[in-house]
Amino acid sequence: MKLGILMSGQGAQKVGMGADLYEQVPAYKETIDEASRVLGYDIMSTIVNDEENVKQTRYTQPAILAMSTGIYRALADVMPKPKATLGLSLGEYSALVAADVLTFDQAMRIIKDRGAYMQQAGEDNPGKMVAVMTDNQDLVIATIKKLQADGKRVYPANYNTFNQLVIGGVEADVDAAVAALTDAGIERMVALPVSGPFHTPLMQSAADQLTTRIADETFAPMA
């Protein structure tokens, strides 16, 4: 049996996530407590059980990395060693930890800074993200290009599946895209609980800061 593991990014977090695991699974609790020591604050009280902080990128990113790693460690003894690990956005770091390319402490420190950079970029460039549920992604792209030609700052952000494409950008411009896509016949779109227009050009300052931040980090060889 060959096992591959996909680690999640942010966008589906909610209050109370992992609280049952923290109470019932020792390996998970140990991981969360280790992460709290690295961060300098308690993840459970500061993030998991806080309605506002769980939506804030600077808090959400470390919490999700810790949660993903905790689940992985809790299952490590009962599943075969994965042949491959991969992740979506933030999940890339969880995957690197699972693959022993980054240590957990090292990844937590990087993500603490990454989350802060992205939080600031989002505050400097307020925006939103919306998941568009359709298999007609050409229509989504054509609509966005038309809006961009009119000066709107809205962009394709994540090609999640063949029937889900996330768009992001300036809030009013994303709203304009949602209206145009609704007029074009797309029926289901879901706003994501994130604090910025991630994976768009509006995040360039965060990308520049992260490039500098990880320049001197040591990454172990990939197996």
Side-chain angles (χ1 to χ4, degrees):
M1 175 181 174
K2 293 183 179 181
L3 177 68
I5 293 180
L6 174 64
M7 300 289 196
S8 67
Q10 65 184 105
Q13 69 278 357
K14 63 179 182 178
V15 172
M17 62 182 187
D20 53 343
L21 298 176
Y22 187 81
E23 294 174 358
Q24 300 173 30
V25 182
Y28 183 87
K29 181 179 187 300
E30 290 169 8
T31 302
I32 298 300
D33 289 346
E34 179 183 351
S36 294
R37 289 192 293 271
V38 173
L39 295 169
Y41 57 77
D42 180 65
I43 286 179
M44 298 304 293
S45 61
T46 304
I47 306 172
V48 172
N49 296 318
D50 190 291
E51 184 76 41
E52 290 305 314
N53 285 349
V54 78
K55 302 174 185 177
Q56 300 300 312
T57 294
R58 69 177 181 270
Y59 292 123
T60 301
Q61 290 196 17
I64 291 175
L65 171 61
M67 185 177 186
S68 297
T69 303
I71 293 171
Y72 177 76
R73 288 178 173 178
L75 294 174
D77 291 339
V78 296
M79 68 180 180
K81 185 174 179 60
K83 295 294 184 181
T85 62
L86 66 160
L88 173 63
S89 187
L90 167 67
E92 293 173 355
Y93 291 85
S94 306
L96 290 172
V97 172
D100 296 321
V101 176
L102 291 175
T103 68
F104 180 56
D105 283 14
Q106 181 185 17
M108 286 302 306
R109 296 181 194 280
I110 292 172
I111 290 305
K112 181 180 181 181
D113 292 340
R114 181 182 188 264
Y117 301 153
M118 292 177 66
Q119 179 83 33
Q120 187 61 54
E123 291 173 0
D124 293 342
N125 299 281
K128 65 188 295 185
M129 303 184 79
V130 172
V132 182
M133 313 299 187
T134 178
D135 58 4
N136 190 356
Q137 296 186 350
D138 289 342
L139 171 62
V140 179
I141 298 302
T143 301
I144 287 176
K145 286 183 176 179
K146 183 176 180 180
L147 290 167
Q148 289 175 342
D150 291 335
K152 304 294 187 184
R153 289 181 294 169
V154 57
Y155 312 90
N158 302 105
Y159 291 82
N160 287 343
T161 70
F162 291 115
N163 61 3
Q164 185 188 113
L165 196 166
V166 177
I167 63 174
V170 174
E171 183 171 1
D173 296 347
V174 173
D175 289 343
V178 168
L181 291 168
T182 299
D183 290 343
I186 295 178
E187 297 180 352
R188 188 173 177 221
M189 288 173 273
V190 179
L192 302 185
V194 295
S195 59
F198 307 141
H199 300 284
T200 74
L202 299 177
M203 290 288 107
Q204 188 59 50
S205 62
D208 293 341
Q209 288 176 292
L210 185 62
T211 298
T212 300
R213 168 66 178 81
I214 65 174
D216 295 326
E217 292 287 342
T218 300
F219 292 73
M222 294 188 184

